[in-house]
Amino acid sequence: MMEANPLVCAVNLHKTYRRNADRVEVLRGLDLEVHEGEFISVLGASGSGKSTLLHLLGTLDRPDEGAIQFKGRRIDNLPSQERDRLRNQTFGFIFQFYHLLPELNTVENTLLPQMIAHGAWSWWWNRGEIRKRALELLDRVGLSHRLKHRPRELSGGEMQRAAIARALVNRPRVLLADEPTGNLDSANGQHIIRLLRELNRQEGLTIVMVTHNLDLVADTDRVVRLVEGRIEADPNAAAAFDTAMASK
Amino acid sequence: MYKLLLCWRYLKTRYLAMACIVSVMLGVATLIVVNSVMSGFSTKLRERLRAMQSDVSIESFGMEGFADPHGKMEKIRQDPFLGPRVEAMTATMEVFAMLQYSWPNGERVSRPVKLVGVNADERAETGGFSEFLVLHKDNPSFALPENLRKRFLADEERFLKQLAPVEPPKLLPPDELPSPAPPQVEIKIPEGIILGNLIASIRRKTSEDHPDKKREEVYFLNPGDTVVLFTVSGAKMKPVDARFVVVDYFKSEMSEYDSNFVFVPLPYLQHLRTMGDRVTSIHVKLKDYRTDARQVVDALEHLFPGEMLRVQTWEQKQGPLLAAIDIEKGILNVLLFLIIAVAGFGILAIFSMIVAEKTRDIGVLKALGASNGGVMKIFLGYGLLLGIVGASFGTILGVLISDNINAVEKFLSNITGGDIFNRDLYYFDKIPTNLEISMLVSVNLGAIGIAVVFSILPALRAALLHPVRALRYE
Ligand SMILES: Nc1ncnc2c1ncn2[C@@H]1O[C@H](COP(=O)(O)OP(=O)(O)OP(=O)(O)O)[C@@H](O)[C@H]1O
Ligand SMILES: [Mg+2]
């Protein structure tokens, strides 16, 4: 599975949040390589900077230092227009709290990245095709019976599945998942992880998932640990993390 | 695409947006109602100011007037430029006078009036005369109608009989010379006079509880009654007077005119004032006032060089008053636009709240690849949409109120118990309104523009939100 060229590569990432005199050094020289088709999970305690890492990888934020490359091209310093495009076309996001727009129903939420990609005109021309893709995806995540529902009329698991459909509608290369099961019970959580696993296997989707829940990572290709702003590339990462948690 | 959808959804689901719409709506409705009433008043006033005014007038500076009006009018008709543009002309004499008449109880009253000598049918052709006559609109004339004439003669005769000296007792023997037959007094019917409506009548409430609260005109000078006019003769300024008989009323609804003007036949006035054919003004009606007025005034000024004549369009004559109306309207509009500006600040406040509320959604949109400009457009579009919806409802409301302003006024008067629109004061029986399309358009554009302008700031704030901070926002 390890190829020469990683799909996404973070080199020596530094990120410090400043609030007046307070400095929170979150990432301190983090290196990470994600290969194409890999399902990688990043474990870390709460507040360790997992979300920060995903935001940097997904060009939502810029690192203070270091670089992020996608297919060998540096993307962290691109002008904002191109980063908008990357977020729209190349990366898909899912969040712990789903972040569906409450005004839109399931289908419309799913279609949102497509709507952002298309102007009104090309939307109108391609609407049939685009809608078909969204309906297929919703079927794939098992939501075809909830198409017209508003987010508040859906359960947590259903909302997260809608969010996954939304993240995938533009056929991104990388899915960035920020504690996708954090707000779900374990059965629903397992369901979501299974879904991600299937998507990874069947569609060759590259997934970076961050979590602090050890139970979820068993089924992923690779587990790394985020400790003190760096990745600990410990092969026994999971076990080490476990002891760290236990000792707290 | 998402911008349209989101604007629309935000509009439909945001309760707060209703407040914006209502504030724009009320602003627009107020502006429309006030403007239409103002414009109604000013058009009406303009109309009434215009009432008696002919298009262009040629006037002398003094009461002595100028000679040979017919020659002058002929010269105008012959003029290659003026001739084809003039529709009608008439000469009049305007002079101050005292009018004396008696109340029904016999008391005598005098009041100053503006006395105008006219040729009734000629004056009618230049406009602003016959249409304001109360009794004989179609046939303006100073002649006394036959029935009144008979009544007048009968009255006069009765009066003379009373005056006739009592037969002296026959002291002298019958063989004396027979007493001379009583002198055959020939009853002369005086010339007719047309009185301003407010000279001959007073306006009175019919009764307090009358549903319409209509004012009624009570005439105390009726057709056939006689009045006396005192004025001065032309050259020597000697007082002269004459008796006239009322034949008609002049009612332009412009109280200044109706309470001051009286009309008598021009030749008789010239004779009375021993002025020969002199007149004080020539009124000219043009075929096309709008395009020709200015040039005609210039041409007329050149036509009679060396004569002390004042040539003016009616607007120049009423210039100061008309200008005052326009200024008033302009200032009021500026003030009223502040109403919409207030609505604008409402939009600003409410939009800021909506942006705050939507912060996380904005973060999500940016995470999904929406650009800053796109986010900005959502909120600008939202402002535009609110403006359009508010302005449309406001327009509908404003037009409805303007159209039914009198019913609204009556309703409010009934509720508050007082007169909102005092009809005695304004001399209108209805509140005049005038809805101009151009006013509607500019009010709407202004309101929508303000809605958009005031949403720029919140939209900018939304656009510049840092996506991560927005996503973390609780
Ligand atoms: N805007 C900010 N200003 C200051 N400090 C911040 C800011 N955003 C995050 N932090 C801090 O940075 C650290 C990392 O935050 P981050 O959200 O990446 O952690 P996390 O690993 O995702 O935590 P969790 O598991 O609870 O989601 C935290 O200690 C947080 O307090
Ligand atoms: Mg987090």
Side-chain angles (χ1 to χ4, degrees):
Chain A
M1 188 167 270
M2 295 279 180
E3 291 135 35
N5 282 332
L7 185 64
V8 183
C9 174
V11 185
N12 191 28
L13 286 186
H14 284 262
K15 182 73 188 174
T16 304
Y17 291 111
R18 287 180 194 82
R19 166 145 311 209
N20 303 327
D22 269 358
R23 286 163 50 92
V24 185
E25 267 195 272
V26 183
L27 300 183
R28 310 171 193 185
L30 177 145
D31 296 302
L32 179 67
E33 292 188 351
V34 180
H35 294 272
E36 183 138 30
E38 201 177 12
F39 187 172
I40 176 170
S41 48
V42 180
L43 271 172
S46 188
S48 57
K50 303 184 298 287
S51 298
T52 306
L53 172 63
L54 279 194
H55 294 154
L56 290 177
L57 290 179
T59 69
L60 267 173
D61 207 351
R62 291 170 193 254
D64 297 334
E65 223 179 278
I68 296 160
Q69 292 173 344
F70 176 76
K71 282 186 163 175
R73 191 169 70 115
R74 196 165 166 193
I75 55 170
D76 59 292
N77 58 357
L78 290 175
S80 65
Q81 247 175 322
E82 291 185 40
R83 299 197 306 158
D84 290 340
R85 259 183 74 79
L86 274 174
R87 285 201 295 275
N88 188 238
Q89 306 286 334
T90 309
F91 297 104
F93 277 97
I94 56 179
F95 306 94
Q96 178 177 356
F97 296 103
Y98 331 120
H99 289 345
L100 299 174
L101 299 196
E103 284 82 12
L104 306 182
N105 64 29
T106 308
V107 179
E108 289 161 344
N109 261 300
T110 307
L111 285 172
L112 201 54
Q114 281 283 351
M115 294 190 207
I116 291 172
H118 288 87
W121 188 242
S122 75
W123 168 265
W124 190 249
W125 275 116
N126 301 313
R127 67 191 187 286
E129 205 178 309
I130 295 169
R131 227 183 125 78
K132 208 174 121 220
R133 160 93 180 139
L135 293 179
E136 273 168 20
L137 266 173
L138 285 169
D139 190 39
R140 181 83 181 71
V141 301
L143 265 188
S144 21
H145 57 305
R146 292 280 185 274
L147 297 181
K148 293 287 169 197
H149 287 58
R150 290 285 159 88
R152 81 177 85 85
E153 297 159 345
L154 298 176
S155 75
E158 286 168 338
M159 278 196 270
Q160 195 59 291
R161 281 183 273 155
I164 291 171
R166 179 178 71 182
L168 297 182
V169 76
N170 274 3
R171 303 177 204 274
R173 303 294 301 274
V174 183
L175 181 68
L176 303 171
D178 191 349
E179 301 191 36
T181 61
N183 223 31
L184 300 174
D185 61 34
S186 63
N188 266 309
Q190 290 298 341
H191 192 135
I192 295 293
I193 296 295
R194 253 201 317 280
L195 180 60
L196 290 179
R197 181 81 252 189
E198 275 172 33
L199 288 166
N200 169 254
R201 291 244 166 85
Q202 293 168 9
E203 255 112 297
L205 181 68
T206 308
I207 301 177
V208 180
M209 178 177 77
V210 305
T211 179
H212 58 244
N213 190 342
L214 204 54
D215 301 341
L216 299 173
V217 302
D219 203 18
T220 57
D221 296 335
R222 184 154 69 103
V223 182
V224 296
R225 203 147 68 101
L226 181 54
V227 180
E228 303 205 323
R230 292 209 187 86
I231 293 293
E232 279 194 3
D234 187 346
N236 299 323
F241 179 76
D242 208 9
T243 38
M245 291 291 282
S247 66
K248 256 188 185 174
Chain B
M1 177 59 215
Y2 66 106
K3 300 158 207 157
L4 292 176
L5 182 68
L6 282 176
C7 277
W8 181 239
R9 284 295 154 79
Y10 284 176
L11 186 73
K12 279 197 350 196
T13 55
R14 275 316 89 172
Y15 186 60
L16 275 174
M18 287 297 129
C20 287
I21 290 177
V22 169
S23 69
V24 173
M25 180 181 92
L26 288 180
V28 166
T30 315
L31 216 57
I32 287 174
V33 171
V34 171
N35 250 306
S36 76
V37 171
M38 277 271 300
S39 153
F41 266 94
S42 88
T43 339
K44 203 90 178 174
L45 194 62
R46 226 180 127 88
E47 239 166 56
R48 287 179 180 184
L49 275 178
R50 171 82 214 241
M52 299 182 46
Q53 311 282 344
S54 50
D55 294 340
V56 175
S57 63
I58 306 166
E59 291 172 315
S60 69
F61 286 86
M63 285 189 305
E64 295 78 15
F66 50 85
D68 193 21
H70 296 287
K72 287 193 169 62
M73 289 196 272
E74 197 48 45
K75 196 168 166 193
I76 293 171
R77 269 191 210 99
Q78 300 300 331
D79 188 272
F81 175 79
L82 292 168
R85 287 177 171 72
V86 169
E87 185 171 322
M89 279 181 286
T90 184
T92 65
M93 169 155 21
E94 288 169 33
V95 65
F96 75 89
M98 293 297 287
L99 177 76
Q100 195 178 58
Y101 54 88
S102 33
W103 281 107
N105 65 6
E107 208 176 306
R108 288 195 83 73
V109 213
S110 313
R111 62 182 293 178
V113 291
K114 287 183 179 154
L115 173 58
V116 187
V118 297
N119 288 318
D121 33 357
E122 231 181 74
R123 179 67 184 83
E125 279 168 29
T126 55
F129 181 67
S130 52
E131 56 268 43
F132 299 125
L133 295 182
V134 176
L135 303 176
H136 307 289
K137 277 192 179 31
D138 343 307
N139 178 26
S141 139
F142 289 105
L144 199 58
E146 196 50 37
N147 57 337
L148 289 181
R149 191 185 152 86
K150 279 196 186 117
R151 204 187 82 196
F152 180 84
L153 287 173
D155 284 355
E156 259 341 60
E157 238 163 296
R158 188 149 19 95
F159 183 64
L160 284 176
K161 272 208 192 98
Q162 282 170 9
L163 279 189
V166 194
E167 285 284 304
K170 297 219 159 120
L171 299 174
L172 296 174
D175 58 317
E176 277 294 312
L177 280 170
S179 64
Q184 198 57 49
V185 189
E186 199 201 328
I187 298 171
K188 194 166 158 281
I189 297 202
E191 295 287 333
I193 186 170
I194 297 172
L195 294 177
N197 196 53
L198 285 179
I199 295 175
S201 69
I202 44 172
R203 278 162 77 76
R204 233 187 235 156
K205 277 187 193 176
T206 35
S207 77
E208 205 45 64
D209 45 33
H210 192 279
D212 288 344
K213 291 193 180 154
K214 265 204 128 146
R215 305 305 179 281
E216 190 185 51
E217 276 148 352
V218 182
Y219 288 91
F220 47 84
L221 283 172
N222 293 305
D225 292 351
T226 54
V227 297
V228 181
L229 275 175
F230 297 85
T231 181
V232 292
S233 70
K236 291 183 185 156
M237 300 284 271
K238 277 198 302 199
V240 293
D241 67 86
R243 216 154 71 104
F244 293 89
V245 55
V246 177
V247 293
D248 209 336
Y249 309 114
F250 179 83
K251 183 178 179 183
S252 66
E253 303 229 310
M254 176 78 192
S255 65
E256 183 173 321
Y257 297 159
D258 292 355
S259 60
N260 280 312
F261 278 97
V262 303
F263 298 87
V264 298
L266 176 64
Y268 184 70
L269 185 60
Q270 285 169 330
H271 161 76
L272 187 68
R273 295 189 63 213
T274 60
M275 303 231 325
D277 71 344
R278 295 178 82 88
V279 297
T280 58
S281 50
I282 293 176
H283 294 279
V284 182
K285 182 183 168 81
L286 300 181
K287 286 184 176 135
D288 186 348
Y289 177 77
R290 270 172 191 282
T291 53
D292 294 342
R294 285 292 145 98
Q295 288 152 294
V296 167
V297 168
D298 288 346
L300 283 173
E301 272 168 350
H302 286 108
L303 198 58
F304 306 111
E307 291 201 54
M308 294 300 284
L309 293 174
R310 182 161 50 195
V311 183
Q312 283 174 309
T313 64
W314 78 271
E315 282 166 304
Q316 288 168 331
K317 240 170 129 176
Q318 302 287 356
L321 196 50
L322 290 176
I325 296 174
D326 283 348
I327 290 170
E328 192 186 354
K329 200 168 165 185
I331 290 175
L332 205 68
N333 257 310
V334 171
L335 292 180
L336 283 171
F337 246 100
L338 290 180
I339 293 181
I340 296 205
V342 170
F345 279 102
I347 290 178
L348 182 69
I350 289 168
F351 260 53
S352 303
M353 289 176 66
I354 291 178
V355 168
E357 197 187 334
K358 290 274 146 228
T359 299
R360 211 163 42 177
D361 292 358
I362 293 166
V364 173
L365 285 171
K366 287 185 175 175
L368 297 179
S371 63
N372 291 354
V375 171
M376 177 142 183
K377 277 183 206 150
I378 293 178
F379 287 91
L380 282 185
Y382 193 30
L384 181 71
L385 205 58
L386 287 184
I388 290 175
V389 173
S392 328
F393 280 117
T395 305
I396 293 171
L397 184 69
V399 169
L400 279 181
I401 293 180
S402 301
D403 274 356
N404 301 300
I405 187 93
N406 289 294
V408 172
E409 188 266 337
K410 205 181 288 173
F411 175 72
L412 289 179
S413 294
N414 283 344
I415 288 182
T416 57
D419 258 356
I420 288 176
F421 178 77
N422 188 333
R423 284 166 172 73
D424 287 336
L425 217 59
Y426 291 103
Y427 201 101
F428 296 126
D429 279 334
K430 289 187 305 188
I431 303 174
T433 58
N434 185 17
L435 280 170
E436 289 161 4
I437 298 294
S438 64
M439 182 271 285
L440 289 183
V441 170
S442 56
V443 165
N444 272 284
L445 287 184
I448 293 170
I450 280 180
V452 172
V453 166
F454 277 87
S455 52
I456 286 178
L457 211 63
L460 209 58
R461 224 191 69 176
L464 297 181
L465 268 177
H466 194 280
V468 169
R469 206 154 308 149
L471 274 174
R472 287 179 190 271
Y473 184 88
E474 289 303 315

